[in-house]
Amino acid sequence: MADDSKSGNCTRLAHAGRRPEWTGIEGHPSAVVNPPIWRGSTHLYPDTKALKAATSCNEDGRFFYGRRGSPTQWALADALTGLEPGAAGTMLYPSGVAALAGALLAVLRPGDVLLMTDHAYEPTRALASSLLKDMGVETRWFDPLDPAALEAACCERTRALLLESPGSLSMEMQDIPAACAFARSRGIVTIMDNTWASPLGFAAHSHGVDISVMSLTKHVGGHSDLMMGSASAGKEWYPKLRRMAQLTGQVVSPDDAALALRGLRTMALRLERTAATALELARWLENRSEVARVFCPMLPGSPGHDIWQRDFSGSCGLIGFAFRGGTAEARSAFIDALSLFGIGYSWGGFESLVTPADPGAIRTASPWPPAGMDAADRFAVRLAIGLEDAADLIADLSRGFAAWSAA
Ligand SMILES: *Cc1c(COP(=O)(O)O)cnc(C)c1O
């Protein structure tokens, strides 16, 4: 096959992971388009010699036992590695949170200090302040927008840096290349939650990240019917990720891996469409009197847009906005008046979702609302834009604002 790394996103996604030996049999390689679902716990061997050989050979793409997966999972991991220039391999986990835990546990030891961006996904924070703390790992949170705060939080014992950009809920953009360069100069490992942009929108490893984590539940699955996570790393960290995943028994089902592979084929198209609709909605929201600020890095003039434009090649449909004042009842009335937006957590599916958000609720190291925003405007709404038509979504949001004003 041609060198896929130089092809466009849609081409890469159409061909990723489809190795002839995984989509066919001996004598008829590439017999079917998709890697079949290899559902099996036990792997069998023709004789004891082959069993022994399999047992002593702990490598990717080798049969051994169900926990190490089969061609269905290997094809998905291989496809994801192919999307990350600089990655040597990818581990799969039963959820995005499990992937974050797997990456952190692969890196951290008792006595280490972890630096974490203050706008990190809330369950990532919870992991740090409970399990990691009990393990003897100290976490220090820092202001995502202040490079000096990152440096000030750093000490001799700092082992790892957890980044996320844009941040969950607040959509703040971090200067990832600068943070990674700083970390590298101090021998600190960088882990980035790259769920928002995916490797299609942000080439994490090329920008200096050591381990990139993604919740495949979101864009890769894309249809709100599976949960999975991944962590990709280069030659230094991939074997350590792999070892920790094996020690803790991380495995995903072949059925889910096949669904994720199916989702992956159309991911670029879906991201393009949802990002375009999200930007159209952001432009519309920006001009509404009920809106204090739109959180959408693709929107020209919005905070972080310069970083997004410099470092990112894509985006997605996850945006948000802060209400201009108003009561809790009015915010609930807004959400309850929507009919096209499902009320529920998650994002990256084909359908639009809405949740109330208070980006400041979990922060400990930086102010919210940020400078330039009124304290009365701290409450927000998160919108996960799906594949519906923009005009219909705008009409729905208009109904929401009418309910907000009436409440
Ligand atoms: C959803 C999400 C996760 C966790 O993924 P799950 O698959 O739901 O466990 C991690 N990071 C971010 C930014 C997310 O939005």
Side-chain angles (χ1 to χ4, degrees):
M1 195 183 294
D3 179 3
D4 264 357
S5 66
K6 293 189 178 58
S7 305
N9 285 341
C10 289
T11 307
R12 285 152 75 203
L13 291 175
H15 294 275
R18 290 170 48 201
R19 291 198 196 176
E21 67 270 30
W22 294 339
T23 51
I25 55 169
E26 216 179 316
H28 195 160
S30 302
V32 293
V33 173
N34 295 292
I37 296 174
W38 287 70
R39 200 187 288 197
S41 51
T42 296
H43 296 173
L44 295 173
Y45 303 90
D47 51 34
T48 48
K49 188 166 164 247
L51 175 79
K52 269 191 199 152
T55 306
S56 62
C57 174
N58 185 355
E59 283 174 11
D60 283 337
R62 304 273 188 156
F63 286 99
F64 168 64
Y65 175 63
R67 219 166 37 227
R68 286 207 199 135
S70 63
T72 324
Q73 294 98 325
W74 303 340
L76 175 60
D78 191 58
L80 294 170
T81 303
L83 295 185
E84 286 272 13
T90 297
M91 291 310 298
L92 301 173
Y93 304 81
S95 69
V97 166
L100 285 158
L104 289 165
L105 291 174
V107 171
L108 294 162
R109 295 292 170 268
D112 287 346
V113 169
L114 165 67
L115 303 183
M116 186 180 290
T117 177
D118 202 27
H119 65 192
Y121 182 61
E122 209 240 329
T124 314
R125 289 185 73 108
L127 187 70
S129 50
S130 55
L131 176 68
L132 295 181
K133 185 168 175 236
D134 292 347
M135 257 176 65
V137 172
E138 181 194 338
T139 301
R140 297 180 185 173
W141 281 273
F142 61 91
D143 184 337
L145 302 183
D146 183 4
L150 169 59
E151 291 191 27
C154 193
C155 70
E156 298 258 288
R157 291 186 295 122
T158 304
R159 177 76 176 140
L161 170 60
L162 188 127
L163 303 164
E164 189 175 322
S165 190
S168 288
L169 307 185
S170 71
M171 296 290 143
E172 291 157 288
M173 297 296 295
Q174 289 192 278
D175 190 336
I176 299 287
C180 289
F182 169 74
R184 193 145 293 184
S185 74
R186 301 283 187 102
I188 297 167
V189 187
T190 47
I191 302 170
M192 178 181 178
D193 185 332
N194 197 26
T195 304
W196 187 85
S198 90
L200 300 186
F202 183 69
H205 295 266
S206 316
H207 284 93
V209 171
D210 292 307
I211 303 176
S212 61
V213 177
M214 207 180 1
S215 166
L216 307 182
T217 309
K218 313 290 166 52
H219 305 315
V220 174
H223 296 73
S224 307
D225 53 7
L226 77 94
M227 300 210 64
M228 204 181 289
S230 67
S232 303
K235 282 196 177 63
E236 185 185 357
W237 285 98
Y238 176 61
K240 296 180 174 82
L241 277 181
R242 195 168 177 274
R243 175 158 167 75
M244 183 52 69
Q246 288 186 354
L247 285 172
T248 52
Q250 303 294 339
V251 64
V252 305
S253 89
D255 302 73
D256 286 348
L259 275 179
L261 270 169
R262 169 178 287 214
L264 198 63
R265 306 296 175 204
T266 57
M267 183 167 78
L269 287 175
R270 288 183 285 103
L271 286 178
E272 222 172 87
R273 163 73 182 230
T274 55
T277 307
L279 182 57
E280 191 175 339
L281 265 62
R283 289 205 159 101
W284 180 80
L285 287 164
E286 191 179 33
N287 293 316
R288 296 288 308 199
S289 59
E290 304 91 339
V291 173
R293 184 175 286 189
V294 178
F295 308 124
C296 174
M298 310 84 92
L299 183 67
S302 76
H305 178 70
D306 48 341
I307 292 183
W308 178 78
Q309 207 163 31
R310 185 192 68 188
D311 296 340
F312 284 55
S313 53
S315 60
C316 71
L318 188 73
I319 60 171
F321 70 87
F323 285 105
R324 192 177 297 287
T327 61
E329 290 70 31
R331 290 190 291 276
S332 297
F334 172 87
I335 289 175
D336 294 343
L338 302 178
S339 60
L340 293 179
F341 289 82
I343 303 171
Y345 295 110
S346 201
W347 42 284
F350 59 84
E351 83 297 5
S352 292
L353 295 171
V354 60
T355 45
D358 177 6
I362 55 170
R363 294 167 82 108
T364 52
S366 50
W368 190 269
M373 263 180 79
D374 199 296
D377 302 338
R378 73 175 277 168
F379 294 103
V381 155
R382 190 175 78 165
L383 299 174
I385 304 304
L387 297 174
E388 299 93 336
D389 296 286
D392 295 328
L393 295 175
I394 285 175
D396 208 26
L397 293 173
S398 302
R399 284 190 286 275
F401 283 125
W404 186 84
S405 300

